Amino acid sequence: MTDNELNLTASYITALTSEHNPNEKIKILLSSLLSTFRQEADFPMQQTQNSVSSIITFSLKEISNMPKSFKKQFIANGLIAHVLKRKTSKHAFSYEIRYRKNGYHIYVTSYSLEIAKEKFLSAVSSDNLEKYRKQPKRVALNSFLFVTNEWLKFRKTNLNPVTLKNYESYCKRFLFPSLGGLPISSIKTIDISNIMATVQGRVYEDLRVVLNSVFKYALANSLISNNPMLLIPFKKAERNNRRALTNDELKKLFERLNLPEFKDYKQTFLILLFFGLRPCELEDARFEDDFLIARNAKRKAGKIEYKKIPICNQAREFLDLSAPIKALHRTDVLNRIFKRIMDDDTVTQYYLRHTFATVCQQYVRPDIVDIWMGDSSERLVGRVYTHFSDDFMLKQMQNVIFDF
């Protein structure tokens, strides 16, 4: 490399240190630069009968004419693009170079690799780059996609954020692929029935709620004259019976949480155990004096209410109460980690909440436990805590002992 290239590389590395995950990006950059000096086969990667797929690395000199913002992204991605060497006849090949990242879809082809590279560099020049930016699809007015997104926006203020996120995910996974582009007035019961036949359990329940609500919204806005959901039956999903962990399982939990591979999750799962939180309630939870304050996730119509749970003696012993409470992963990811910790696929993290309730009811009146759990709308902070003082609640919690 020349002195100019070395200086340019140094400046890019300095710039990358301010990026997210800089070490990984710098490693990719250096590895890509080093690969240009290796004497390897042109295409060492995936191979099929008629084509060979690999990556092609560009030098910093070659990308000098790229727009500044795109050049920074290209360097962060390792100065590489995908190349496919495809057999077109007995003695001829074509070379396809593709780059699909950061909203760009760049594709060039030629019978010569060098010419394909020249075409790619021309495509990413300042004059041509914007031609390859993916344009957002225009949503037809009153299509199912348009009306559903409008309904989600309408419900955003009075839906629990977790519920809203689930609804959005279900729409993208199950509804938009087949119904999204159709005028909502053209959708028939059979179209919906075909989708519902592919799902079951809680997904079926939630999809039916979404579809019924979307078509009611369309009906209220005179977009349709009838609701095609009327003949779609409601099927309540079978609920798995959850239980409390046994004493032996609690001992196992504590032992395995001390293992190096699981120590980062110790605080999270012990908070679920000692306070009976739902996993989705970790995000807004905090310690405040002698209590844990958490938003109750089971309030309907977007109503915001909080529960106030006293800190028991064992929680003080095992938890760092000065550390902020973090939701380390999505609920489903946490659940998989909990199964690994317990080395048992039959248990779920919700067993911790049931353990909390079971243990507390051995020492405290059930109605007080309900307040801590946030299970009943009539027993929430602001209504019942006017009758039960903080001192009273603390004394009640001091009676609770987890046996492990």
Side-chain angles (χ1 to χ4, degrees), residues 90-352:
K90 188 174 181 180
H91 301 292
F93 296 88
S94 68
Y95 296 86
E96 302 171 6
I97 300 179
R98 300 177 182 178
Y99 182 86
R100 297 179 182 175
K101 288 181 182 294
N102 306 112
Y104 292 96
H105 184 177
I106 302 167
Y107 169 85
V108 297
T109 183
S110 176
Y111 289 107
S112 162
L113 180 60
E114 289 303 316
I115 295 177
K117 286 183 66 175
E118 291 174 5
K119 286 186 174 181
F120 180 84
L121 292 171
S122 174
V124 297
S125 66
S126 299
D127 294 335
N128 298 319
L129 182 61
E130 284 305 307
K131 299 176 184 177
Y132 296 93
R133 188 189 290 274
K134 291 176 66 177
Q135 298 299 323
K137 293 183 179 179
R138 297 184 65 180
V139 180
L141 191 65
N142 295 341
S143 67
F144 179 82
L145 176 62
F146 179 88
V147 176
T148 301
N149 283 331
E150 191 173 80
W151 172 77
L152 288 168
K153 189 175 182 180
F154 169 72
R155 291 300 312 275
K156 185 175 182 179
T157 56
N158 56 8
L159 269 182
N160 182 280
V162 176
T163 303
L164 178 65
K165 189 174 180 180
N166 287 338
Y167 285 174
E168 290 172 340
S169 174
Y170 289 151
C171 289
K172 291 176 184 177
R173 289 164 58 195
F174 301 108
L175 303 180
F176 292 162
S178 56
L179 302 180
L182 298 177
I184 194 165
S185 59
S186 71
I187 297 173
K188 300 179 180 179
T189 301
I190 187 65
D191 300 321
I192 299 169
S193 181
N194 289 337
I195 294 173
M196 301 304 283
T198 66
V199 297
Q200 55 186 348
R202 294 296 292 271
V203 177
Y204 182 99
E205 277 190 35
D206 288 347
L207 272 185
R208 191 182 182 281
V209 168
V210 170
L211 285 163
N212 200 36
S213 299
V214 168
F215 284 107
K216 282 184 176 179
Y217 179 84
L219 200 59
N221 287 276
S222 302
L223 302 178
I224 57 176
S225 57
N226 61 284
N227 186 347
M229 288 297 297
L230 292 177
L231 296 179
I232 302 297
F234 175 75
K235 298 178 184 177
K236 189 172 180 64
E238 182 180 351
R239 268 51 173 179
N240 294 325
N241 292 326
R242 294 166 181 164
R243 61 172 178 82
L245 295 174
T246 66
N247 289 347
D248 287 341
E249 286 174 326
L250 281 174
K251 291 176 183 177
K252 181 179 181 180
L253 173 65
F254 276 82
E255 289 172 359
R256 290 181 63 81
L257 283 174
N258 287 320
L259 295 176
E261 61 182 304
F262 298 129
K263 65 179 182 179
D264 291 341
Y265 302 101
K266 183 175 181 178
Q267 180 94 346
T268 297
F269 287 117
L270 291 188
I271 287 174
L272 297 181
L273 172 66
F274 288 130
F275 298 95
L277 294 187
R278 302 174 181 93
C280 60
E281 294 172 338
L282 285 167
E283 188 171 354
D284 297 314
R286 68 184 186 276
F287 291 117
E288 190 174 293
D289 298 326
D290 293 318
F291 295 86
L292 180 144
I293 311 295
R295 180 177 175 178
N296 193 336
K298 290 299 181 181
R299 299 280 67 82
K300 294 183 178 181
K303 195 170 185 179
I304 298 177
E305 293 172 328
Y306 289 86
K307 50 188 180 180
K308 190 174 184 181
I309 310 163
I311 301 172
C312 68
N313 292 328
Q314 287 163 301
R316 298 178 190 277
E317 179 182 351
F318 289 99
L319 294 175
D320 180 1
L321 302 180
S322 64
I325 299 173
K326 298 179 180 179
L328 297 177
H329 299 290
R330 297 193 320 263
T331 299
D332 59 327
V333 176
L334 274 180
N335 201 39
R336 291 197 293 271
I337 293 169
F338 183 72
K339 290 177 184 291
R340 283 174 47 210
I341 292 172
M342 297 301 294
D343 194 23
D344 184 350
D345 286 337
T346 66
V347 301
T348 77
Q349 59 192 341
Y350 293 96
Y351 284 21
L352 298 172

Side-chain angles (χ1 to χ4, degrees), residues 59-74:
S59 68
L60 293 172
K61 182 178 180 181
E62 288 175 317
I63 68 168
S64 58
N65 291 327
M66 286 183 179
K68 186 176 180 181
S69 59
F70 181 80
K71 184 192 298 184
K72 188 175 181 181
Q73 296 172 359
F74 194 70

